[in-house]
Amino acid sequence: MSQKSLVGVFSGLRSPAAKARPCGRGIGFCVVVLLRWRYRDGSGPGWRGIVRLMSERDDIYSGNPGEVGDFRFDERVVKVFPDMISRSVPGYGLMVPLIGLLARRFVQPGSNVYDLGCSLGAATLAMRRAIAYDDVQIVAVDVSQAMVKRCCEIVAEDNSRVPVSVSLGDVRDADIDNASVIVLNFTLQFLAPAERQALISRLYQGLNAGGALILSEKLHFEDAAEQQLQTDWHHDFKRSQGYSDLEIARKRTALENVMVTDSQAEHRQRLAKAGFEQVYCWFRCFSFASLIAIK
């Protein structure tokens, strides 16, 4: 198997089929995922292979206690991001390949597919490998220069046939045209709440009839008791992934001013106001959910 076929798509699915192995040279470990899949109609790759995504272990918040600055998607985070998100977002390793399956169903010939807030391109590559049309282009956008640089390297090493354009930019300014699939994978929560409706409405306008917006977000809950339970469950998950109470607390402090979550009802209201009439929750694990809105 060539090195190109080993580029990671799914960031750290930790299951009996996934193992962490030393990468050598002191750079951390590889997240290894065994993949077996074929579409119901018999088409598609139908292959089994190994995906390896190089990552250092996330220990950013394990240092000496002290003042914690706001969370930033900088070079330090890029180095550990696959490990960070797989150990922080329950179900992430399953959600990403399923986004590829959804994209395959809703993509239209001759259209554009957008991954807004693409980070290292996990959703981009999942869609790239699932889409069956040759005349579709994937446009991946992220505001972090460090993320875009690494994403370009990962995409360049992948040998799938669908063309991908990775660019540095603010998703609020991205040109959306002739879109059949748009992905916002844990992106909207990092925008100011007052700016979210304008973005969703603009995405609706750029989406073709029959196209889909896939919106993944961490949710908050209006019921205080449920919110506390969801928070406790999430922290239990992070502890099970090896994070200490100190790391959990410091990461939460770092995110307080940069990540503001919405309830599922607020997301649905925003999507309805934009014009979407079909909105479904297709994935949820604890407080992390993904909605699909069909135009």
Side-chain angles (χ1 to χ4, degrees):
M1 183 179 292
S2 69
Q3 183 63 36
K4 287 185 178 181
S5 65
L6 298 180
V7 175
V9 179
F10 314 133
S11 299
L13 175 61
R14 294 187 180 270
S15 70
K19 300 178 181 179
R21 298 180 180 177
C23 290
R25 301 182 184 178
I27 65 173
F29 62 87
C30 300
V31 175
V32 181
V33 182
L34 184 63
L35 305 173
R36 298 183 181 91
W37 57 283
R38 179 180 291 276
Y39 297 111
R40 182 179 297 178
D41 62 5
S43 64
W47 50 270
R48 53 183 293 179
I50 296 177
V51 171
R52 295 180 180 174
L53 188 60
M54 302 294 234
S55 176
E56 295 184 14
R57 184 171 178 83
D58 174 26
D59 59 359
I60 290 177
Y61 296 101
S62 64
N64 294 327
E67 184 177 350
V68 179
D70 288 347
F71 184 86
R72 297 176 58 192
F73 291 97
D74 54 17
E75 291 184 1
R76 185 176 61 160
V77 168
V78 167
K79 291 179 180 178
V80 303
F81 188 71
D83 180 61
M84 174 185 285
I85 197 164
S86 69
R87 294 168 61 208
S88 300
V89 178
Y92 183 79
L94 177 60
M95 179 190 295
V96 170
L98 292 179
I99 287 175
L101 297 185
L102 293 177
R104 186 177 194 266
R105 175 171 289 275
F106 286 96
V107 70
Q108 299 167 0
S111 67
N112 296 319
V113 172
Y114 292 87
D115 185 2
L116 303 179
C118 62
S119 62
L120 297 185
T124 290
L125 291 184
M127 294 188 293
R128 189 185 198 190
R129 295 184 174 186
I131 291 172
Y133 298 118
D134 293 328
D135 58 349
V136 170
Q137 174 174 284
I138 299 176
V139 180
V141 181
D142 202 280
V143 75
S144 165
Q145 186 171 2
M147 283 287 186
V148 167
K149 179 181 177 182
R150 180 62 184 133
C151 183
C152 287
E153 295 170 351
I154 292 173
V155 169
E157 293 173 342
D158 181 72
N159 58 2
S160 303
R161 63 188 181 185
V162 177
V164 174
S165 169
V166 182
S167 61
L168 177 68
D170 193 316
V171 299
R172 293 167 293 187
D173 302 324
D175 293 327
I176 308 298
D177 179 61
N178 186 29
S180 59
V181 177
I182 303 173
V183 173
L184 284 170
N185 211 29
F186 303 108
T187 299
L188 197 66
Q189 61 199 20
F190 290 101
L191 301 183
E195 299 175 337
R196 296 174 186 180
Q197 183 64 63
L199 175 61
I200 295 298
S201 296
R202 193 162 62 81
L203 298 185
Y204 178 83
Q205 295 301 320
L207 194 63
N208 296 340
L213 168 64
I214 300 171
L215 174 63
S216 308
E217 292 279 288
K218 184 180 182 182
L219 304 176
H220 74 245
F221 301 86
E222 302 297 341
D223 181 79
E226 182 177 9
Q227 180 61 65
Q228 187 59 58
L229 282 171
Q230 293 288 350
T231 299
D232 291 344
W233 294 336
H234 182 214
H235 289 175
D236 285 345
F237 170 79
K238 296 185 77 169
R239 292 186 190 97
S240 76
Q241 299 299 300
Y243 284 116
S244 67
D245 288 340
L246 174 64
E247 289 175 291
I248 293 170
R250 297 185 78 196
K251 174 74 172 293
R252 188 176 186 181
T253 299
L255 287 170
E256 279 182 350
N257 296 323
V258 296
M259 189 183 82
V260 179
T261 59
D262 292 317
S263 67
Q264 185 172 156
E266 288 172 315
H267 284 298
R268 288 179 175 273
Q269 291 168 3
R270 189 179 293 126
L271 291 165
K273 186 175 180 178
F276 290 103
E277 297 181 356
Q278 292 179 267
V279 179
Y280 307 103
C281 181
W282 68 273
F283 185 95
R284 180 176 157 190
C285 188
F286 295 147
S287 57
F288 295 84
S290 188
L291 306 177
I292 185 165
I294 304 167
K295 184 172 179 178

